[in-house]
Amino acid sequence: MRKLLCLLTATVCYFSAQAQKADYHLVVGTYTAPGKSEGIYVYDFNTSNAAFHLNNVEKNVINPSYLKVTPDRKFVYAVNENGDKSMVSAFSFDAVTGKLGFLNKQKSEGADPCYLIADDKNVLIANYSGGTIGVFGRQTNGALTPAKQVVQHIGSSVNKDRQNSAHVHMVRFSPDHRYVISNDLGKDKVYTYAYHKDSAHDVLVLKDSISIKPGSGPRHITFSSNGKFAYLIQEMIPEVTVFSYTDGVFKKIQEISMVARDFKGENGGSDIQLSADGKFLYTSNRGTANTITTFAVQSNGHLINKGQTSTLGNGPRAFVIDPSGYWLLVGHQYTNNVVIFKRNKVTGALTDSGKRIDIGAPVCFEFVAKK
């Protein structure tokens, strides 16, 4: 009987341990100053139950407020948002252990970089205050070359407090990787650049641009899985603009509010994410709102506002849907935590899981499958 009891206990312990086994790394970018963050954080994350454990911290990294893990999971690139002293940094990454190793850094070629993309040839960053796009080459060991190209945006828009000059807020590859899309909050424009990845200098060549509602402040854009539609969140007004998209050209088909009709507070649209099945779109709103809005996506690309959910914190600058689709994690820049919501994949609804990650000013997330 004792042997049977011991066997059963061992079996329960084994399966309990297996249930807690993480299948992904969660890499988190932060603001280190001012605040309690020390750099780039790597957690082990279990997508079956949202269990997490701090793996390690890459310290002494200044304000890695946006980062990207390369598709081969071997490198991490991060901006170092620090005014006129801003840089962009390269790290090696071990997808087994989750460890980072510093390689090198380069001047960002513009103040306050806030977004970054990377492929096997280049790293491109959006410099918000500088109004530039910096294009950097990648060496075979992952280190960054000095800038191959710097694209300077010039101009302004109607809000003189926020739009007195160009403010490049995002760069993003088109679904077919032939173009780079750039949102300029300061000019109320979305630009399309032809992308020549192997070029030594003219990597980006302007193809087209489209003007957005004056004073709206275009921030982030995402594409439908079939590449036929795109969704743009505005920072300065509480709206999402829907476009049809073909070969680098955008056409507006809808503008829709992301707040309740009776909302009278301050807005600060921040992040936008589409569920993997393409059925639901989510946006975050800061200001006094601190909400996530859920939209149902129709077959013609149009959106239906399904309502708002409190993020249960202050300053939801970024959020992410985990690879399983069952969890949505919201990072709060000002209350220094990540709130984990349970996500209903059928209805799109979000409910509080009760789980929290305590971390200083989390503002960027990347899930990386363990090898």
Side-chain angles (χ1 to χ4, degrees):
M1 186 70 177
R2 174 178 285 181
K3 289 184 178 180
L4 179 60
L5 182 60
C6 290
L7 179 61
L8 289 172
T9 301
T11 302
V12 169
C13 289
Y14 171 79
F15 283 107
S16 177
Q18 290 297 101
Q20 296 299 319
K21 187 176 181 181
D23 51 349
Y24 280 83
H25 295 298
L26 174 62
V27 186
V28 185
T30 67
Y31 278 108
T32 57
K36 64 179 184 179
S37 170
E38 295 183 282
I40 298 173
Y41 288 71
V42 181
Y43 291 85
D44 295 325
F45 190 89
N46 186 343
T47 57
S48 66
N49 57 11
F52 58 88
H53 174 75
L54 179 61
N55 183 313
N56 67 87
V57 183
E58 181 70 13
K59 299 182 179 181
N60 301 315
V61 184
I62 297 173
N63 290 335
S65 59
Y66 201 88
L67 54 80
K68 183 65 66 174
V69 182
T70 56
D72 61 8
R73 300 178 293 179
K74 293 182 178 180
F75 302 99
V76 173
Y77 297 99
V79 304
N80 304 118
E81 189 177 340
N82 190 25
D84 292 335
K85 299 177 181 179
S86 295
M87 309 286 286
V88 55
S89 297
F91 303 86
S92 61
F93 183 72
D94 188 325
V96 176
T97 65
K99 303 292 185 182
L100 285 82
F102 176 73
L103 295 174
N104 78 330
K105 58 185 176 181
Q106 300 286 354
K107 293 181 180 179
S108 63
E109 303 295 344
D112 299 320
C114 60
Y115 210 94
L116 180 152
I117 54 177
D119 62 10
D120 60 331
K121 291 289 186 177
N122 302 299
V123 172
L124 294 82
I125 62 174
N127 292 301
Y128 178 82
S129 298
T132 62
I133 303 170
V135 183
F136 302 83
R138 289 180 56 187
Q139 299 178 19
T140 54
N141 68 348
L144 291 164
T145 71
K148 299 164 65 172
Q149 182 184 16
V150 179
V151 178
Q152 178 72 62
H153 286 191
I154 301 293
S156 60
S157 191
V158 297
N159 187 324
K160 298 309 176 185
D161 292 331
R162 297 286 311 279
Q163 298 177 308
N164 62 333
S165 63
H167 293 309
V168 180
H169 216 310
M170 187 186 206
V171 282
R172 189 182 193 98
F173 291 120
S174 63
D176 59 10
H177 213 78
R178 294 174 55 209
Y179 302 101
V180 168
I181 314 305
S182 176
N183 304 327
D184 195 318
L185 178 146
K187 295 185 66 177
D188 287 322
K189 280 195 171 187
V190 175
Y191 291 87
T192 302
Y193 291 92
Y195 179 54
H196 304 287
K197 64 183 297 185
D198 296 314
S199 176
H201 302 289
D202 296 327
V203 179
L204 300 180
V205 176
L206 183 63
K207 173 185 172 66
D208 196 26
S209 67
I210 184 170
S211 295
I212 312 303
K213 183 184 295 185
S216 61
R219 182 178 170 98
H220 287 179
I221 196 167
T222 191
F223 286 89
S224 61
S225 57
N226 62 12
K228 294 181 179 180
F229 304 102
Y231 303 92
L232 174 72
I233 185 173
Q234 323 293 351
E235 179 170 332
M236 296 165 57
I237 63 172
E239 289 187 355
V240 173
T241 303
V242 184
F243 303 93
S244 62
Y245 174 82
T246 305
D247 192 27
V249 177
F250 295 92
K251 294 183 179 179
K252 297 178 197 175
I253 60 174
Q254 185 188 22
E255 290 178 329
I256 184 170
S257 174
M258 63 177 180
V259 298
R261 290 183 179 180
D262 59 352
F263 179 73
K264 303 296 183 183
E266 298 175 3
N267 293 286
S270 48
D271 205 0
I272 184 167
Q273 302 287 343
L274 192 66
S275 62
D277 60 11
K279 294 180 179 179
F280 297 98
L281 183 81
Y282 299 88
T283 61
S284 52
N285 193 9
R286 296 167 295 175
T288 57
N290 295 307
T291 53
I292 295 282
T293 299
T294 302
F295 296 93
V297 181
Q298 308 303 293
S299 59
N300 63 356
H302 285 233
L303 302 175
I304 297 175
N305 190 327
K306 304 294 287 185
Q308 292 71 43
T309 302
S310 171
T311 64
L312 305 174
N314 186 9
R317 183 183 176 96
F319 66 94
V320 65
I321 301 171
D322 86 306
S324 75
Y326 285 110
W327 311 99
L328 188 147
L329 289 68
V330 183
H332 292 103
Q333 182 176 353
Y334 305 122
T335 41
N336 299 304
N337 70 353
V338 178
V339 175
I340 301 178
F341 289 90
K342 179 71 175 178
R343 177 177 171 269
N344 187 313
K345 293 173 74 171
V346 176
T347 66
L350 304 175
T351 54
D352 181 16
S353 72
K355 297 177 182 288
R356 304 287 188 273
I357 303 175
D358 292 322
I359 176 176
V363 290
C364 181
F365 304 98
E366 282 273 293
F367 277 102
V368 185
K370 290 189 172 184
K371 286 188 176 180

